[in-house]
C-alpha cells in the first residue's frame, strides 16, 4: 500500500470513494466538497492510500486549524491499516505539542463504533460533546508529543 499526498489527478477516484461512503457523513454536500478538495490538495493537506492503481482511502486535514477533517476508507479495505497509515502520514505535518482534533460520532452511536475505536487506539482522547449539521458528535484531541 502506498500512502502519499494527493494530487489533482486523484480527484476523480477520490470523489468515487466519497460517493460510496457519503451517507456516513451528515452535512456532506458533494459539489462543495470537490471545491474544498482542490484547495486542500494544492495546500498539501490531502492524503490518499492506494493499493496498486486503486485509491482505497482518503483524508483531509487542516494545518491551520490542527484538525483531521475527513477520513474515508473503501469498505473492501477496512481493517487493513489504511486509516492508521493515513493518520500517521498526517501527523508528520504537525509540530510537537500541536493539539490535533477530530470530530466523530458519540459513544453508543453504531455509525461511529469503528471510528472511535481507531482514534482511541492511536491515542486520541475523548472530549467535548457537540452538535454538527444537527447531528450529535464528540470531539477527540491528540497531543503531538504522544506520536505512536
Amino acid at each position: 500500500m502506498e500512502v502519499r499526498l494527493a494530487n489533482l489527478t486523484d480527484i476523480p477516484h477520490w470523489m468515487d470513494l466519497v460517493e460510496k461512503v457519503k451517507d456516513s457523513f451528515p452535512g456532506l454536500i458533494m459539489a462543495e466538497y470537490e471545491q474544498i478538495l482542490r484547495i486542500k490538495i494544492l495546500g498539501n493537506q490531502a492524503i490518499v492510500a492506494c493499493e496498486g492503481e486503486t485509491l482505497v482511502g482518503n483524508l483531509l486535514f487542516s494545518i491551520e486549524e490542527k484538525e483531521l477533517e475527513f477520513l474515508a476508507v473503501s469498505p473492501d479495505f477496512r481493517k487493513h491499516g489504511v486509516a492508521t497509515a493515513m493518520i500517521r502520514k498526517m501527523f508528520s505535518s504537525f509540530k510537537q505539542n500541536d493539539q490535533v482534533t477530530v470530530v466523530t460520532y458519540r459513544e453508543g452511536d453504531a455509525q461511529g463504533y469503528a471510528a472511535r475505536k481507531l482514534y482511541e487506539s492511536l491515542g486520541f482522547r475523548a472530549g467535548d460533546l457537540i452538535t454538527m449539521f444537527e447531528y450529535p458528535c464528540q470531539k477527540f484531541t491528540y497531543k503531538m508529543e504522544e506520536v505512536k
Side-chain angles (χ1 to χ4, degrees):
M1 176 178 52
E2 176 189 20
V3 176
R4 60 173 171 75
L5 290 173
N7 58 59
L8 294 174
T9 61
D10 292 316
I11 291 175
H13 300 292
W14 183 301
M15 293 305 293
D16 288 345
L17 175 54
V18 173
E19 184 66 37
K20 287 181 191 176
V21 300
K22 69 182 179 184
D23 292 339
S24 296
F25 296 92
L28 178 65
I29 300 169
M30 294 296 281
E32 292 176 12
Y33 182 92
E34 188 167 348
Q35 292 174 346
I36 292 166
L37 174 58
R38 289 179 182 281
I39 293 166
K40 292 293 185 178
I41 288 172
L42 293 172
N44 293 322
Q45 296 174 85
I47 294 170
V48 293
C50 299
E51 189 65 52
E53 297 295 313
T54 305
L55 191 148
V56 299
N58 52 38
L59 182 152
L60 293 179
F61 65 100
S62 170
I63 293 171
E64 184 177 311
E65 299 296 323
K66 297 177 178 56
E67 182 176 16
L68 190 167
E69 299 174 324
F70 184 89
L71 171 65
V73 176
S74 173
D76 296 337
F77 288 86
R78 292 181 182 159
K79 298 185 180 181
H80 290 94
V82 175
T84 298
M86 289 189 300
I87 291 170
R88 287 189 174 139
K89 173 77 173 167
M90 176 196 71
F91 282 161
S92 69
S93 296
F94 294 101
K95 299 177 196 146
Q96 185 165 345
N97 294 321
D98 279 350
Q99 300 243 6
V100 180
T101 61
V102 63
V103 174
T104 192
Y105 298 95
R106 290 187 186 177
E107 188 172 10
D109 187 328
Q111 284 266 99
Y113 176 77
R116 292 176 65 89
K117 186 175 175 184
L118 167 70
Y119 298 133
E120 289 169 348
S121 75
L122 289 170
F124 281 85
R125 309 267 192 273
D128 295 339
L129 299 177
I130 60 175
T131 300
M132 290 185 69
F133 306 111
E134 300 179 19
Y135 198 92
C137 300
Q138 186 167 20
K139 188 178 281 193
F140 277 67
T141 304
Y142 183 90
K143 189 169 181 181
M144 289 306 299
E145 68 186 14
E146 301 168 1
V147 174
K148 293 186 176 191

